[in-house]
Amino acid sequence: MKKKSTFLLLALVLFIANNIAIGQEKKTITGMVKDSIGSPLPGVSISVKNTDKHAFTNEKGVFKINAAAATDILVFSYIGFERKEVTAGSSGYLDVTLKGLPNQLDAVVVTAYGIKKSQRSLGYATSTVKGEDLMKAAPTNFGSALTGQASGVMVTSNTGGATSAVAIQIRGITSIGYQRQPLLVVDGIIVRDGDANGQGYWGGNQKINGNGLLDISPENIETINILKGAAASALYGSDASFGVIVITTKDGKGIKKGIGVDVSFSSGIEKAAYLPDIQMKYGPGYDWVDNRAYFGNDSAWTQTTVNGQQVSYPAFNNGGYQFGSKIDGRPVYYADGVVRPFAASNYWKDFYRDGSSNIANIALSNSSDKVTYRFSYTRNDYKGIQIGGDQQKNTFNLNTTFKIAPKLTLNVTSSFSNEQVTNRPRQIYFLTNNSGSFPSPANYMNIFFNKYQTPQGYKYYTSNSTIDPTNRFKYDFDGEPFLDFFWNQLANSYVETTNRLIASATLNYNILPGLNLRGRVGTDFTGYRQEEKDRSTQPIAFGPSGGYGLTNNQYNFFSGDLLLSYNRKLNKDFNFTLSTGYQGRQESYYYNTASTIGGLTVENWFSLNASASQTNGGTGTASASRAFLTKDGFFGIADVSFRDYLFISGTLRHERTSTLYPGNNEFTYPGVSGALELTKLLRLPEAVTYSKIRAAWGIVGNPPDQYKANVVYNPSTINGIPALNPPTSNYGNNGLKNEFKHETEFGWETRLLKNRLGFDISYYTNKIINQIVPLTTPSNIGTTSVLVNIGTMNNHGVEGSIFGTPVKNKNFIWDSRLNVGFNQNKVVSLASGQSTYIMQNIDNNSMQVVANPGSPSGDIMGYVPERDSKGNKIVDGNGMYPIDKSHLVKVGNIQPKLVGGFINTFTYKRFSLSTMIDYHWGGQIISLSRLYGTGQGVYKNSLYGRDAASGGLSYYSLNNGGMGTYVPSNANGPNGEAVHHDGIILKGVTASGAPNTTIVDAPNYYLNTFTWGAWPGYDPYADYPDGAVFNNNFIKFRELSLSYSIPSKLAGKLKMQNVVLSVYGRNLFYIYKSIPGLDPEDAVGTNYLANYTSLGTGNAATRSFGGSLRVSF
Amino acid sequence: MKKKSIQYILLLLLGAGILSAGCKKSTIDSQYYNPEQSVTANIPALYAGLFNNSYVIPKYWNLYTLLIPVFGEYSQTAGYINGHHVYEQPTNYTANKWDNYYTSVLAPYREIQKYYGNLTSAADKRGYQVFLNTATVFFYDQTAQMIDLFGDIPYSQAGSINSNGTITPAKYDTAKSIYYAMISDLDRINTFLDTANVPVFYSNELGQYDYINGGSMLRWRQYANSLRLRLAMRISYYDEPTAKSLVMNMLSNPTQYPLVLNASDAIQINLAGNMVSTSHDIRNGFGINPFAPGYMVDSVMNPSNDPRLPFYFTTNVNGQYQGVLNTTLGSTVTSGQQNGLYSRWDSTTFTENNNFPGLILDAAEANFCIAEAYQRWGSVSAAQSAYYNGINQSILYYYTINNGSSYSGVKQPMPSGSAIAAYEAYPTVAYGSDMAGNLNKIATQKWIDFNVMQANHAWAEYRRTKLPALSFPVDPGSVSAPNPPTRLLYPGEESALNAANYQAVAAKDNITTKIFWDVK
C-alpha cells in the first residue's frame, strides 16, 4: 500500500509540474552562451542577481530570462567554467562567452547514483582515471590496467591471463570474514562482479576463474571514478563497504560533424615470466638411510632385466624426493620403456607455451539535435600461456541519448558480450603442493606430453594396468599428476559460453527550472553455459569411462531508481540542492546442471543418453538450485554551498536487505562531507593556483551473503527415504547483525605554479563493528564452523598523489605522478572470551593465519626453533633444530603496508613514452609449495651440503644407524660402515650451551625441516616459518608503451583524422623483489586470505609484448 | 500533443519499471531462507540421516585415507610396503574421522534428542521413544569406536550447537566412564525394546525409516546385545570380574539377550537405490592399496587352505595366493606388484562390488566373543562350538557377499562341507585344549573375519589381545614414529580451539599412550 501511494503522489507531481512548465514568460532577454572556442554550452545556469529569477540554456546554448531593467545583472554559472556577471543592457540580446577553468579543476565527477558533481565541491576523496590512460598497454580488462593508477587502490590479478579474475581493494581490509570486491556501477547500474577462487584447490572447480569486471571492455570506458570512503559511498549503504567503482562509458558527444569512426587493432604475445628455480644436479632418492631400507642400496637405484638386457633406473617413484645420485648422463631406463641419458632440465620451461592476445575494435558515433549515439564492437582473441585453452569474445556496446522534448531526455545504454572460453587455465596446486607430483629434473617433459594418452587415444595406463601391457608405463613414477593435468587440458574439453547483457534506460525530466526528476531501470543479465566432455579413459570392454556434463546458469540483476532533485539559490551567498529518491535491486540466480554418471556407454559419445548409470528412469544426474537477494532503500541528499567556496553535503539512506533475519534487516546509513576552497577564501600567494581542504564522515555496511545466516537442515533421500542432516560446517545464526563501517576522512588538495605541481592527500580512519566471520569451532560442538559477529577492526591510512609537469616546452613534455597508499589495519577486539580468531588453519594447525586483537588482521602464527637465553638456536642429539611446540609465535602478517604506482609520460613532438612502475611493500606471504619442494630437494635452495663441493662434511654412521650416530671421518668406519660426504653441522648450541658439533646428513636436514606437519605431537623439526613464510616486497616495472602519432597532414592524405602507432610491454620485470626463487604474483584467488597463502599454486604470471594501431576517421 | 503523449507513456513506463524493481517488506523477509533447504526437521528424517554415515557405508574417502592405509597397516590386514615414515599418522585424515563423528553422528543424535525433548503430545513422546533408543544403539557403537581410536573424548557436553544453539567447546570424558555407562545403558535399551509395545503408527513409521533393521525389535536387540558383548570383551583384561559377570549373565539368558549368531543376522546397511555407488567408491577406495596382506595370506590362510581365500583374494600371475610382507624390501615389492606377483583383494567380493554392505556387526565376531568368554570363564566345549560356528558363519557371510556382488565377474561357489571340515581340522585352525593356543586361534579367526573392511576393529582387538603375534619392523628413518602407535593423536583443532579442555588430556596426547582396556 505504502509503495502504491508513493507512486501515485509522484505521478501527480509530474502531471502538475508539466502543465505549469507550459506557461511562458513575457518580458525576456534572450541570448546564447558559448565556450571559448565557440561551441554552445547547454545547461548553463543564469540568474538575475539579488532576485530569485533563474533560467538555463537549452541544448543549443540559447536562453531566455525575464529581466526587469537594463541595469539588472545576469549571473552565468556552469560547472567547470568561470562564473561571469553581465549587465542585461537594453538590446534584449546577449552573447556570452564563458572561460573554462584551468585544466583538471573543472573535472566533473560522477558520484553515487550517477549524480554529477564538480570536483571542487567534493568533501571526500575520489580518484578519476581516464579510459585513455588505461589503454596504453592494450589490456584485456580495465582492472589489471588500474594497477598503480589510483592512490589507496590495490589491484591483484589472478594468474591465468585474460580469463582470470582481477581483484580491487580500496583502503585496506574492512572485513575479516567477508571482504568483497568494490561495488561496480556502470552508467548508473549496479553490475555483477564478485570474487574468484577463494575456496582453495579442493573446494572449487580447480580452474582459475574470472569475475564480472572482465566483461566491461576497456575500449568503451570514458572514465572510472573510484569512490573510496564511507561518506562518498554511503548512498549505496550495505553495498559500499569496500568502495564503489563508477564507470562511465563513452557516448557520442563531442562529435562535430558527420559520423565519427574509430578503429583500433592490437596484437601481442605472452610468455611465462618467472619459473621455479629447480635444482638440476641430483636425481630422485631419499636420504641414504631410507634408500637402504627401501632399495637395499644407498643411492636408490633399481636394477632389472628387460628383454634379456640389464637396465637400471633411479627412484622415480618415491614421493618426489630428489636426494638421490648425481645426474651424470648414464643410460637410464625411463618409465616409457626407452633408455635415455640421465640428464636434467627445468621441466617448467616446457610446461608453458607462448600465448597471444589480439584485440580489434571499431566504434561509430554521431551527434545531432535529437539523437547522440555511439556504437562499438570489440573482438578479443586470446590464448594464454597454459596449454589447452583459448578465449574468443565479442562485445557490442551502444550508448544513445534521445532528446524527446526540450525538457525530456532518454538515455539508453546497452552492452552485450558473448564469450567462449575453452579449457580455462587450471590451478597447478596439485603439481606444486603435492609431494607425489614433484617430477625429477631428470625426467623428460616430452615423455609427459607424449604419453598422457595412449596411441589409441585413451588415458595413459599405469604400470599395473592389465588393459594394454604394451603401452602401459613400465613402472610408476612421480609426476602422474602432470599426466592427469595434460589429459584434462588437452584431451578433455570444458567450454564455457557466457552471454551477458547490461542495459539501462534513464529518463531525465526537467519539470521546472531547478526541479528535476530522473528515473532509471537497468538489468545485468548473464546466461552461462558450461559443457564438459571428458573423453573415455579406457576401452569400453573394461567398463564405461569418461563423462559428459551440461550446466546452464542464469544470473540476473534488476534494479531501478528514482531521483527527484530541487536546486535553488536562496540569496547571493547560499545555494542548495535537495534530492530524494528510492532504489531497489533484485538479484536472482538459477543453477542447472546435468551430467552422466558412471561413465559413457559408447566411447566418446557425449550425451546424457550415454550415461552408464541412470537415476529414476532419467539419464545421468541433474541438479538445480536458486538464490535470490533483494535490497532497497529510500534516500535523501542535501547539498548547500556558500559563496562558492564552502560546500556541505549530507546524505541519508534507509535500507532493507533480505540477507539477514527479518526484524534484523533494516539499517540507516548517514554521510556528511564538506569542502572549503582556500584559494577563494583567503589571499594566498600567487604560486598557489588552487587549494582546497575537505572533511567527511559516513557509515556503510556489509551484511553476509544470502542464506549464510540461515539455520537449516540439509535434505536428502536415501533410497527413497527422506532424511535431514544438521549442517556439519557453516552453521547459521539468525541473530546475526550487519557489519558497520564508520569512517572519517580529511583531505587537502593543492595545485601550484599554474598546475605544474600539485598534490592531493587524504587521511582516513575507520572502525568496522560487528565483524562477521565463519568462526572455526572444535567439531565437538556439532559443527566445524559457525557464523558469528565477532568483533571490531579499524584502519588508518594516508593516501595521496604528487603530480606535476617537471618539464614543459614546445617539443618536450614530461608528466609525472606518484601514487601512494599507506594503510594500517588493526583488529581492535574480538568477542568476549575470544583471544584469537583463526582465519586459516594450515596443515592441521602447523601454521595459522589469525586475527589477533592489537594486530592487523592476518597475522601468521607458527612454531619456531627452540632458542637459549642468548637467542642461539638449540641443536639436539640428532644434530637438528628442535621446534618449540609450547606456543605459536607471530612470524608475519599477510597485509601489505604500502602500495602505489609511479607513472611517467614523456612526450617529444609526436612520440609519447609512458612508463608505469608499481610497488607493494610490507607484509609476508605464505608458500607451502616452496616449503614442501625444499624438503623434497626440488629447488636450488636445498643443494648446500649435499656433496663435498657444496660444503658437505664426511662422516660414517656408527653401526649404520640413523641420525645421531654420525662420526666425522674421511674413511670408512671400524665395522666397514661406508663414508658419506653429505654431512652438515647446523649453527647453534647444544642444550648445555656448547657450540654444536653434531653432524646431520643434508638430505635429512632438508626433508625433516621443510616437511608437512608441525603441530604439537607431530614432526619434531618441521619449521614452517623458515620454509614457507617470505617477506613480500616488490617494485615492478609494470608497463612501458611508446606511441607515435603520424602528422595530421599525412593522415589527412590518407583520409584519416588521427593515426597512432604504439608498441607496449606489460608485467615486464621486477626492479626489486624480496622473495627468492618465486614470483610474488603466482598465487591464486582474489580474496586476500586466499591470495597471500597460496603462492606457487597459480599458473605462472605472464609477461606481454605487442603493438597497436589506432585510427580515427 | 502527440509528443506529449509519448512523454507520458515513457514516464509511466519508467514508473512501472521502478515499481517492479521496488520491493515489499514481505518479499524481503521471505527471501531470507534458502529455498533449497529445510527450516525445520523431524525425528524420522533425522533418524534416517544419522545412519547414512560415510564411515559406515563403504565410501572412497574412508577406505582410501584411513581404513586401508592406516588401520589396515596397524592391524596388518592390508598388504602395505614397509616404506618411508610408514607408521606416521596422516593426522589430517584422522581428523576427518574425528570431525565426522561429531558433526555427522553426535550432532544428528543430539538433534533427535532435542526434537524428542520438545515433543508436546504424549502419544508422540511414547511413540518416538523407539526411534530415540534404537538411534542410541548406533550412537554408542560409533562412540565406542572413537574411544578405541583416541581414548578420552569430549562426550557428555559435546554437541552444544545442536542441543541448545550455543558454541560451548566440550570437556573430555574419560574413556572408561563412557564405556561403562554405555555397557550399562545398552542393558536398559535391550529391556526397553523387549517390552516397548510400540503403538502401531510409530512402529509402521519406524519400519519405513529404519533401513538398518527394518523396524524389527528383535534385530535391534541382537545388535544392542552383541555390541554390549563386544564392549564387555574389550574391557575384559582391564576389569575381568565385571566383564565376566556381564557376559556370562547374557550367555546364560539367551532369550533375554538375543545375539547376532547367524550370518543372515548380520547388522548391516544393505545398499539399494541411490545408496549404491555409481562412482565406484569401493574400487577407488582400494586404489590406495589393493594388495593382499602378507602375513595373513602367506602364513595363516594359505597353509591351512582357508576356504575364504577365493572370496577374499585373487591369485597372482602364477596362480598362487601371495601377500605383501612387511619385511620385503620396498623396491622389490614395487617391482613385484608391477609384475603381478601379488594377490589383490577380490574384485567380486570387494573392489568392484558396489553392493558391499555398510557392515556394522557380523555374526562371526559375536561367536568369537562367545568362544573367548567360554574359553576363559566357562565350558571349553561351549567355546569350541562357538569357535567353529564363528568360522562357519564367516565363510557363509563372505560367500553371501560374493554372490550378491554387483560385479559381473565369476561368483564363487559355497565351499563344500568336506573342504570346511578339512580346514577346521588343520592344526593351526583346529580347536585344541590349551588356553593360550585357543585364545590365539580365536583372535586369529576374528582377525581374518574382520579383514581390511573392519580394520579398525582388527586393530583394536590386536591391541587388546596382542594376538595374532604380528611383527612390525622398526623404521629407523622416522624420528616421530619408529614403531606403530597405540592410539591416534587428537586433531590439531582440539589443542588450538578447545585449549582449556584439551589441557586435561594433553599429557596423554602422544602415540604411545594406551587405551584404558589395552593392558596386555
Side-chain angles (χ1 to χ4, degrees), chain A residues 3 7 14-15 18 22 286-287 289-290 292-296 302 313 317 321 370 404-405 408 410 463-464 472 474-476 505 507 509 519-521 558-562 582 584-586 597-598 613 624-626 628-632 656-662 665-666 707 709-715 717-726 728 731 733-734 775-784 786 788 838 844-845 848 878 963 1007-1008 1012 1015 1017-1021, chain B residues 3-4 6-8 10-12 14-25 27-29 31-42 44-46 48-50 52 81-85 88-92 95 98-99 102-104 106-108 111 114-115 154 157-162 166-170 208-209 211 272-275 278 280 283 291 329-332 334-335 337-339 344 475-477 479-480 489-498 502 509:
Chain A
K3 189 177 62 180
F7 175 68
L14 292 181
F15 185 76
N18 205 29
I22 296 164
Y286 303 118
D287 60 290
V289 180
D290 275 323
R292 196 174 288 178
Y294 192 83
F295 295 96
T302 299
Y313 57 92
N317 177 32
Y321 291 91
K370 298 289 175 201
I404 294 163
L408 197 61
L410 176 67
S463 63
N464 55 22
R472 71 184 184 190
K474 304 309 169 201
Y475 51 86
D476 286 343
L507 199 60
Y509 181 34
R520 172 156 47 211
V521 288
F558 184 73
S559 60
D561 59 75
L562 198 59
Y582 169 82
R585 176 166 107 259
Q586 287 188 312
I597 38 181
S613 296
S625 65
R626 300 151 291 171
F628 305 100
L629 180 150
T630 302
K631 271 182 191 177
D632 74 351
R656 303 179 296 185
T657 173
S658 66
T659 66
L660 286 163
Y661 193 66
N665 58 359
E666 293 196 33
Y707 311 144
N710 292 181
V711 178
V712 285
Y713 296 86
N714 301 319
T717 63
I718 301 160
N719 189 24
I721 302 165
L724 290 168
N725 280 88
T728 58
Y731 210 87
N733 179 352
N734 286 334
L775 180 70
T776 308
T777 51
S779 60
N780 70 55
I781 72 154
T783 180
T784 55
V786 183
V788 295
I838 301 172
N844 204 24
N845 291 297
Q848 296 170 348
N878 283 334
M963 285 157 73
L1007 63 83
N1008 281 297
W1012 196 93
W1015 68 93
Y1018 208 62
D1019 198 291
Y1021 303 125
Chain B
K3 188 176 270 177
K4 189 128 291 171
I6 294 172
Q7 264 176 263
Y8 289 130
L10 273 169
L11 285 169
L12 279 171
L14 195 66
I18 286 157
L19 263 191
S20 61
C23 330
K24 289 191 197 131
K25 182 167 168 51
T27 312
I28 287 176
D29 289 353
Q31 281 187 1
Y32 173 66
Y33 278 114
N34 186 339
E36 317 302 349
Q37 289 185 305
S38 176
V39 180
T40 58
N42 58 72
L46 289 165
L50 170 68
N52 188 23
I81 297 175
N82 194 29
H84 186 65
H85 297 198
E88 292 175 6
Q89 295 176 23
T91 322
N92 49 342
W98 174 278
D99 289 345
Y102 286 105
T103 62
S104 300
L106 187 132
E111 293 281 347
K114 178 173 73 183
Y115 272 84
Q157 296 176 346
S160 65
I161 196 90
N162 306 98
T166 65
I167 301 171
T168 315
Q208 293 297 314
Y209 283 88
Y211 52 92
N274 66 351
M275 300 166 81
T278 52
H280 302 281
R283 174 205 293 166
F291 295 102
L329 204 59
S331 55
T332 309
T334 309
S335 64
Q337 287 171 346
Q338 275 152 13
N339 295 323
R344 295 162 180 245
D475 176 11
V479 181
S480 58
L489 294 165
Y490 292 121
E493 68 182 53
E494 281 294 314
S495 55
L497 302 171
N498 191 18
Y502 174 79
D509 191 16

Side-chain angles (χ1 to χ4, degrees), chain B residues 266-301:
Chain B
I267 306 299
Q268 62 186 39
I269 297 173
N270 291 311
L271 305 189
N274 66 351
M275 300 166 81
V276 180
S277 169
T278 52
S279 54
H280 302 281
D281 272 281
I282 195 163
R283 174 205 293 166
N284 295 325
F286 270 96
I288 184 71
N289 176 9
F291 295 102
Y295 178 73
M296 183 185 280
V297 173
D298 297 9
S299 306
V300 182
M301 293 178 78

Side-chain angles (χ1 to χ4, degrees), chain B residues 55 92 107 113 165 184 236 247 252 358 379 434 477:
Chain B
Y55 285 74
N92 49 342
Q113 288 180 313
S184 157
S236 66
V247 171
S252 58
S379 135
D434 75 303

Side-chain angles (χ1 to χ4, degrees), chain A residues 637-944:
Chain A
I637 311 165
D639 293 310
V640 181
S641 66
F642 177 70
R643 290 190 176 170
D644 213 28
Y645 58 74
L646 177 66
F647 305 88
I648 307 285
S649 178
T651 63
L652 193 68
R653 175 189 170 96
H654 184 77
E655 181 186 280
R656 303 179 296 185
T657 173
S658 66
T659 66
L660 286 163
Y661 193 66
N664 218 4
N665 58 359
E666 293 196 33
F667 312 98
T668 301
Y669 300 102
V672 182
S673 65
L676 182 63
E677 195 174 321
L678 299 175
T679 27
K680 289 207 171 172
L681 177 70
L682 307 168
R683 273 189 176 280
L684 293 175
E686 188 104 334
V688 181
T689 317
Y690 171 76
S691 187
K692 179 183 99 180
I693 55 171
R694 53 178 197 252
W697 169 87
I699 298 178
V700 287
N702 184 33
D705 289 337
Q706 68 260 43
Y707 311 144
K708 292 276 186 197
N710 292 181
V711 178
V712 285
Y713 296 86
N714 301 319
S716 62
T717 63
I718 301 160
N719 189 24
I721 302 165
L724 290 168
N725 280 88
T728 58
S729 64
N730 297 314
Y731 210 87
N733 179 352
N734 286 334
L736 207 68
K737 289 179 278 192
N738 203 9
E739 290 182 357
F740 281 112
K741 176 167 101 168
H742 299 246
E743 187 164 77
T744 307
E745 68 174 72
F746 302 96
W748 183 22
E749 49 188 287
T750 294
R751 289 157 205 273
L752 305 166
L753 307 169
K754 293 189 174 161
N755 299 329
R756 288 293 288 275
L757 183 64
F759 63 85
D760 181 351
I761 187 165
S762 301
Y763 167 79
Y764 59 87
T765 175
N766 64 37
K767 185 165 92 169
I768 308 98
I769 60 168
N770 301 339
Q771 287 284 324
I772 300 169
V773 298
L775 180 70
T776 308
T777 51
S779 60
N780 70 55
I781 72 154
T783 180
T784 55
S785 60
V786 183
L787 208 60
V788 295
N789 289 110
I790 199 174
T792 301
M793 182 157 86
N794 70 22
N795 288 284
H796 308 286
V798 175
E799 69 200 11
S801 309
I802 302 172
F803 43 85
T805 311
V807 179
K808 187 175 183 180
N809 59 41
K810 196 175 154 220
N811 287 329
F812 184 70
I813 303 171
W814 172 22
D815 282 314
S816 186
R817 183 179 190 91
L818 177 68
N819 291 322
V820 179
F822 170 83
N823 186 69
Q824 176 67 50
N825 172 271
K826 190 166 93 174
V827 178
V828 178
S829 61
L830 296 174
S832 65
Q834 182 96 30
S835 59
T836 186
Y837 166 65
I838 301 172
M839 302 161 75
Q840 193 170 82
N841 153 13
I842 293 166
D843 292 353
N844 204 24
N845 291 297
S846 295
M847 197 151 64
Q848 296 170 348
V849 181
V850 303
N852 272 339
S855 270
S857 176
D859 272 358
I860 304 169
M861 307 293 288
Y863 295 102
V864 298
E866 287 178 20
R867 288 176 187 269
D868 69 7
S869 56
K870 290 174 193 145
N872 299 310
K873 279 188 183 177
I874 288 174
V875 180
D876 71 2
N878 283 334
M880 297 284 289
Y881 296 130
I883 305 295
D884 180 359
K885 300 285 180 61
S886 65
H887 62 288
L888 288 156
V889 175
K890 176 175 172 177
V891 295
N893 184 283
I894 60 175
Q895 287 195 46
K897 293 270 187 288
L898 188 65
V899 292
F902 184 41
I903 308 163
N904 286 287
T905 306
F906 306 91
T907 310
Y908 177 72
K909 290 185 174 169
R910 301 195 151 269
F911 289 94
S912 177
L913 178 73
S914 291
T915 64
M916 151 63 97
I917 291 163
D918 72 304
Y919 56 92
H920 177 291
W921 213 262
Q924 280 72 31
I925 192 164
I926 296 172
S927 177
L928 294 175
S929 65
R930 193 68 177 174
L931 173 86
Y932 307 144
T934 303
Q936 306 275 119
V938 171
Y939 301 121
K940 285 182 180 154
N941 59 3
S942 64
L943 284 176
Y944 171 74

